[in-house]
Amino acid sequence: MIMKNKYLIILSAILIVSCAKKTETRTSKNENVSSYVDPFIGTGGHGHTYPGATVPFGMLQVSPVNGISEWDWCSGYHYSDDVAIGFSHLSLSGTGIGDLADILFMPVNKAVDLSTNPISRDSIPYKSSYSHKNEKATPGYYQVFLENHNVNVELTTSKRTAYHKYTFKEGDTQSVVINLGFAINWDKSIETFLKVEDEHTISGYRYSTGWAKNQKVFFVAKFSKPIVNYKLSADGNTTDKDLVKGIKTSTQLFFDGAKNKELLAKVALSSVSVENAKDNLDAKEETFETTKSEAETLWNSALSQIVVETPTDSLKTIFYTALYHAQLAPVTFSDKNGQFRLENDSIVTAKNYTAYSTLSLWDTFRAEHPLLTLIAPDRVSDMVNSMLAFYDTKKILPVWTLYGNETNTMTGYHSIPVIVDAYQKGIRGFDAEKAYEAMKNTMMQDDRGLIYYKKYGFIPYSLLDESVTITLEYAYDDWCVAQMARALGKEADYQYFLNRSKAYQQLFDKKSGFMRGKSVDGKSWNAPFDPKHSNHREQTDYTEGNAWQHSWFVPQAVDDLIAIHGGNEIFTSRLEKLFTESSEITGDNVSADITGLIGQYAHGNEPSHHIAYMFNHANQPWRTQYWARHIMDTQYNTTPNGLSGNEDCGQMSAWYVLSSIGLYPMNPASGEYEIGSPIFEKSTIKLPENKTFMIEAEYVSHTNFYIQSATLNGKPFTKTTLSHQDILKGGTLHFVMGNKPNKNWGIKNKAQQLTKK
């Protein structure tokens, strides 16, 4: 009897565990993954993200504005703040330059004086305090209670329409201030216009200059209640007319609050015209609640493209928030009818594609765009077509496009690797010959130092600031052009650009082990030399960094970089020292972008992002595994300070998304991913044709981050790279993890190395 009971107990336990496992698996497949996202991550520190509402790659980003013009308020919002001056409809996610925050709405419960020009936030008459205790953000939704006005604000969006829901205190005045003259940081209005069209509708436009030099935003807003009174103001003058124009215009609208406490507004924008904004406005039957629900559905679909399994909820929060941030930009720019405005004021039509802007290419070419080829391949060709549309205006590919304007921010022409990466991975929804023409013409013109690069084979430091960084990045762009030339059968061009892509060899100082500024004579170095020295964007050889951080940017020829260092031993010794050197940065004008330091490695800025994966090429993959995991553990967390530097439109987060599943595109246009250290027990990538690619990490834990062995579809796998094409076939990459490095896994023997050479 005792034995029988014992067997029953064991059998029951097995059944309970089995059911629990089935439930866990079912839950992981059907869970609301958007619930793990915390949009406040990155809104503190130097993350520069916003917490407001948007949909994946949406046209609108309706978000709170604090009203301070400083670096950490580049998105309009910073978590350290507790004052709001309104809610704008365009926001930048994680950039280092502040712009947008256009078309500002603010619900208030009293009449305010709009005739004065506030000299600071303190003198804005409609500002309000708020508490983070009464603030909430989820994908596609934002809510905050304005204490001074006793108004609860809720925001959501569709692809091209923002929805506002204001709940006033019973009996209070119901009013909304709209300010078109307000600007943050570099932006300023140059002409604005407001018109009360009827008792429910107001429209207008805002022309401004700033980071985007020719920014034209048209809008229309429809309210759920009739406007019973209003005041219009332009440059300090108030009028009772129904329209007003000036440099700075604003209005206060009053509504009848007798029947209910809620006031709703729908707002749509356009870069083209008020008529297009009206066309972009959602149909009448759409409500706040249905739009909020649809936004959540859209986010769940976008976030479910990669499903991760782990018992640690904080890791899911970091991962899915990163996956969320990686799909905020680029943003939809073309209207419902396909039209959009270019910086020369020409209106063009996107035919059979959606045009995108906010192309932060110096950052996003590294990991975000490669990530999109996995999770949103249908959008990639549209983004390439958008770059080609911008190319048509100046016959040069874009550098950093904001609201249809070329800002020429940062170095290189990194639309090139994005295009080549797409083509190499089989994405064909664009004209390849036109794309190649655009790439070739861009790299053969003379602007932005290319005249010196072509003449000397590198850029001499005396002729252009940031010469080392620019030379290295042009060399990489050249390599990318060469790959496209070869793919299209242009052998002469292939050889020409491949030869030019070796420009990095000109700048390598074997004695010091660094890439250094070289003089016009091609022999002498820029001296004195301090590899820790930083001088932000002027009289420097490096962009937002120093020699320690920029000397490794040769992703197209890592094996050759190792060779010119003197071999694996010297290379890995110097690479290891990057992470273990003291974190002192010298100089009187140190770049604020040098953040997230591990030794001299700066994860808070993009030039460092590929470096940890270079150990793979020097026969020390266990060091890649160690440092990749160390970066994940130390540079990301679940607080508002959870990003170690500017998010930069998705790049900081894309690094984590890919690294955490064990992959990283060290050379973003190669079509290959380096193997790192997976952090999740299982990651499932959803692919076209209902295929999946699974990455399993058996025994993975906080201490078990070293790869012991691996199989791909059941066969032994010993390479440290995996091709995009292998992923697209579907299957399973299975790792066995341990707490000590297996120094035999992923090692190339001498015969393999000689064959590769």
Side-chain angles (χ1 to χ4, degrees):
M1 187 71 178
I2 293 173
M3 289 297 292
K4 186 177 180 181
N5 287 341
K6 184 177 179 181
Y7 287 132
L8 283 171
I9 291 168
I10 292 171
L11 180 60
S12 298
I14 291 170
L15 287 170
I16 289 169
V17 170
S18 176
C19 290
K21 283 186 176 179
K22 287 180 181 177
T23 302
E24 182 183 345
T25 302
R26 187 166 59 248
T27 302
S28 68
K29 288 181 179 177
N30 297 321
E31 46 184 356
N32 177 6
V33 291
S34 67
S35 66
Y36 288 104
V37 175
D38 183 356
F40 290 110
I41 291 176
T43 60
H46 301 315
H48 297 185
T49 62
Y50 62 83
T54 190
V55 294
F57 311 100
M59 176 178 275
L60 300 171
Q61 311 84 40
V62 57
S63 190
V65 176
N66 294 136
I68 287 180
S69 287
E70 292 181 15
W71 191 55
D72 278 332
W73 278 259
C74 278
S75 73
Y77 176 98
H78 195 264
Y79 198 79
S80 64
D81 215 327
D82 60 2
V83 173
I85 65 153
F87 304 89
S88 66
H89 293 78
L90 297 172
S91 306
L92 286 165
S93 180
T95 62
I97 300 181
D99 204 327
L100 302 185
D102 292 56
I103 319 298
L104 195 76
F105 279 43
M106 183 66 167
V108 298
N109 65 351
K110 61 184 179 182
V112 296
D113 183 5
L114 298 178
S115 64
T116 59
N117 182 28
I119 58 174
S120 69
R121 181 175 75 173
D122 292 341
S123 56
I124 294 175
Y126 47 82
K127 69 180 183 296
S128 176
S129 298
Y130 63 90
S131 168
H132 293 307
K133 293 179 181 178
N134 288 317
E135 184 183 32
K136 180 182 180 181
T138 59
Y141 175 75
Y142 174 83
Q143 173 272 325
V144 70
F145 181 76
L146 300 177
E147 296 172 352
N148 293 60
H149 304 306
N150 287 314
V151 180
N152 190 57
V153 176
E154 296 176 85
L155 307 170
T156 191
T157 67
S158 64
K159 187 175 183 177
R160 292 187 175 89
T161 301
Y163 290 71
H164 298 241
K165 181 179 180 181
Y166 307 138
T167 305
F168 292 84
K169 184 179 178 182
E170 191 167 347
D172 271 8
T173 297
Q174 295 186 11
S175 179
V176 176
V177 171
I178 301 175
N179 187 343
L180 303 189
F182 173 77
I184 61 170
N185 293 337
W186 293 262
D187 184 45
K188 67 176 181 179
S189 60
I190 55 177
E191 181 180 317
T192 62
F193 175 80
L194 279 167
K195 180 181 180 181
V196 179
E197 295 203 357
D198 58 44
E199 63 179 3
H200 287 278
T201 311
I202 187 166
S203 65
Y205 61 75
R206 182 179 189 271
Y207 300 167
S208 65
T209 186
W211 191 11
K213 299 300 181 186
N214 182 26
Q215 189 181 155
K216 294 181 176 176
V217 185
F218 300 83
F219 85 98
V220 63
K222 283 191 175 291
F223 295 92
S224 60
K225 295 178 180 179
I227 301 167
V228 296
N229 195 9
Y230 60 86
K231 294 177 182 178
L232 294 173
S233 179
D235 303 326
N237 300 311
T238 302
T239 179
D240 293 328
K241 295 180 180 179
D242 63 359
L243 57 84
V244 67
K245 183 165 73 171
I247 295 174
K248 295 183 177 183
T249 59
S250 57
T251 184
Q252 183 170 18
L253 309 175
F254 295 88
F255 303 86
D256 183 0
K259 292 184 179 179
N260 63 61
K261 298 183 293 183
E262 290 183 358
L263 174 65
L264 303 168
K266 292 200 296 188
V267 184
L269 308 185
S270 167
S271 68
V272 176
S273 65
V274 168
E275 287 306 310
N276 273 21
K278 290 178 180 179
D279 188 45
N280 287 339
L281 197 70
D282 284 348
K284 290 181 180 179
E285 59 265 23
E286 296 297 333
T287 67
F288 186 93
E289 292 304 325
T290 59
T291 304
K292 177 188 172 187
S293 177
E294 178 61 20
E296 183 179 326
T297 299
L298 288 171
W299 274 116
N300 264 319
S301 176
L303 297 169
S304 296
Q305 293 305 114
I306 303 178
V307 176
V308 297
E309 297 179 34
T310 174
T312 309
D313 279 354
S314 61
L315 290 180
K316 284 187 178 181
T317 294
I318 296 171
F319 176 84
Y320 283 113
T321 303
L323 195 55
Y324 166 81
H325 280 142
Q327 297 180 79
L328 296 182
V331 302
T332 297
F333 191 53
S334 52
D335 293 331
K336 193 180 289 185
N337 65 7
Q339 291 183 329
F340 61 101
R341 181 184 299 270
L342 296 176
E343 64 182 296
N344 62 1
D345 280 326
S346 62
I347 306 300
V348 295
T349 302
K351 296 179 180 178
N352 302 316
Y353 75 96
T354 297
Y356 290 90
S357 193
T358 308
L359 295 164
S360 181
L361 292 163
W362 190 74
D363 311 292
T364 56
F365 87 94
R366 303 168 196 268
E368 193 211 3
H369 283 284
L371 173 63
L372 297 184
T373 65
L374 285 170
I375 64 171
D378 54 321
R379 298 184 189 268
V380 173
S381 59
D382 285 6
M383 292 174 187
V384 172
N385 282 317
S386 301
M387 296 174 197
L388 296 179
F390 297 135
Y391 164 77
D392 286 338
T393 62
K394 292 183 177 178
K395 296 304 176 186
I396 297 173
L397 281 166
V399 177
W400 210 124
T401 303
L402 174 62
Y403 215 78
N405 286 234
E406 176 54 82
T407 68
N408 274 314
T409 301
M410 308 311 292
T411 46
Y413 283 101
H414 299 319
S415 45
I416 292 173
V418 173
I419 296 169
V420 175
D421 181 47
Y423 192 78
Q424 297 279 61
K425 291 175 178 175
I427 294 171
R428 294 289 186 270
F430 58 92
D431 185 334
E433 289 291 343
K434 180 180 179 179
Y436 180 74
E437 170 202 305
M439 291 188 285
K440 181 177 178 180
N441 286 349
T442 297
M443 292 307 292
M444 292 304 293
Q445 46 94 21
D446 291 340
D447 290 350
R448 291 164 48 86
L450 276 166
I451 188 171
Y452 308 126
Y453 178 79
K454 291 186 292 182
K455 180 177 179 180
Y456 297 100
F458 66 97
I459 298 175
Y461 72 83
S462 60
L463 300 181
L464 191 67
D465 279 348
E466 305 178 347
S467 62
V468 172
T469 298
I470 296 171
T471 297
L472 295 177
E473 293 187 7
Y474 282 161
Y476 179 65
D477 291 339
D478 273 345
W479 182 86
C480 293
V481 177
Q483 305 315 301
M484 192 72 169
R486 182 173 62 175
L488 296 176
K490 303 176 190 295
E491 183 62 26
D493 281 2
Y494 168 68
Q495 293 296 338
Y496 173 79
F497 285 105
L498 186 66
N499 183 59
R500 251 183 31 172
S501 75
K502 298 173 184 175
Y504 63 88
Q505 296 175 351
Q506 302 274 0
L507 300 186
F508 181 70
D509 174 19
K510 190 168 184 177
K511 184 177 180 181
S512 68
F514 293 101
M515 299 287 179
R516 294 182 57 183
K518 185 175 272 189
S519 66
V520 174
D521 64 18
K523 298 177 182 177
S524 53
W525 302 108
N526 192 1
F529 175 65
D530 175 4
K532 294 183 178 180
H533 186 267
S534 165
N535 198 37
H536 185 65
R537 305 310 307 264
E538 59 183 15
Q539 296 179 343
T540 179
D541 293 337
Y542 310 96
T543 303
E544 294 182 356
N546 60 24
W548 269 113
Q549 291 136 23
H550 283 265
S551 292
W552 311 96
F553 190 72
V554 190
Q556 74 274 24
V558 179
D559 293 344
D560 186 53
L561 183 64
I562 293 169
I564 63 177
H565 269 270
N568 286 344
E569 188 175 339
I570 296 173
F571 180 81
T572 53
S573 174
R574 288 172 176 168
L575 197 54
E576 186 74 13
K577 194 175 181 183
L578 168 73
F579 291 95
T580 58
E581 182 72 15
S582 79
S583 294
E584 175 194 17
I585 307 293
T586 61
D588 298 326
N589 183 32
V590 172
S591 177
D593 298 273
I594 303 175
T595 57
L597 284 165
I598 303 172
Q600 286 288 311
Y601 173 91
H603 193 70
N605 209 19
E606 281 67 25
S608 288
H609 278 191
H610 70 291
I611 299 175
Y613 291 89
M614 299 179 89
F615 286 103
N616 277 353
H617 286 251
N619 261 4
Q620 289 194 13
W622 62 91
R623 300 312 291 160
T624 283
Q625 295 154 32
Y626 175 87
W627 287 115
R629 182 59 182 260
H630 183 76
I631 295 164
M632 284 185 268
D633 288 346
T634 62
Q635 303 300 304
Y636 298 84
N637 62 61
T638 59
T639 73
N641 293 348
L643 296 173
S644 60
N646 294 171
E647 163 63 15
D648 283 320
C649 297
Q651 170 56 28
M652 192 70 66
S653 290
W655 186 96
Y656 186 89
V657 169
L658 288 166
S659 293
S660 66
I661 65 173
L663 307 174
Y664 192 76
M666 185 196 66
N667 177 352
S670 67
E672 291 193 331
Y673 304 89
E674 298 291 326
I675 302 296
S677 179
I679 205 169
F680 301 110
E681 282 84 346
K682 185 177 180 181
S683 306
T684 303
I685 304 170
K686 295 181 181 178
L687 301 169
E689 301 174 3
N690 292 319
K691 294 179 182 177
T692 60
F693 187 82
M694 289 183 289
I695 301 171
E696 299 173 338
E698 189 176 356
Y699 307 127
V700 71
S701 70
H702 185 66
T703 54
N704 290 357
F705 50 79
Y706 290 112
I707 296 171
Q708 306 299 299
S709 63
T711 58
L712 178 61
N713 298 326
K715 297 179 180 178
F717 183 80
T718 59
K719 297 194 300 180
T720 57
T721 60
L722 181 70
S723 76
H724 186 80
Q725 296 308 318
D726 281 340
I727 292 175
L728 290 185
K729 293 173 186 175
T732 301
L733 178 59
H734 183 90
F735 295 106
V736 177
M737 311 299 289
N739 62 6
K740 293 180 181 178
N742 176 0
K743 296 185 178 181
N744 293 315
W745 184 86
I747 302 302
K748 305 183 192 76
N749 60 41
K750 288 185 178 180
Q752 288 174 310
Q753 293 180 62
L754 288 171
T755 301
K756 187 160 187 177
K757 286 183 180 179

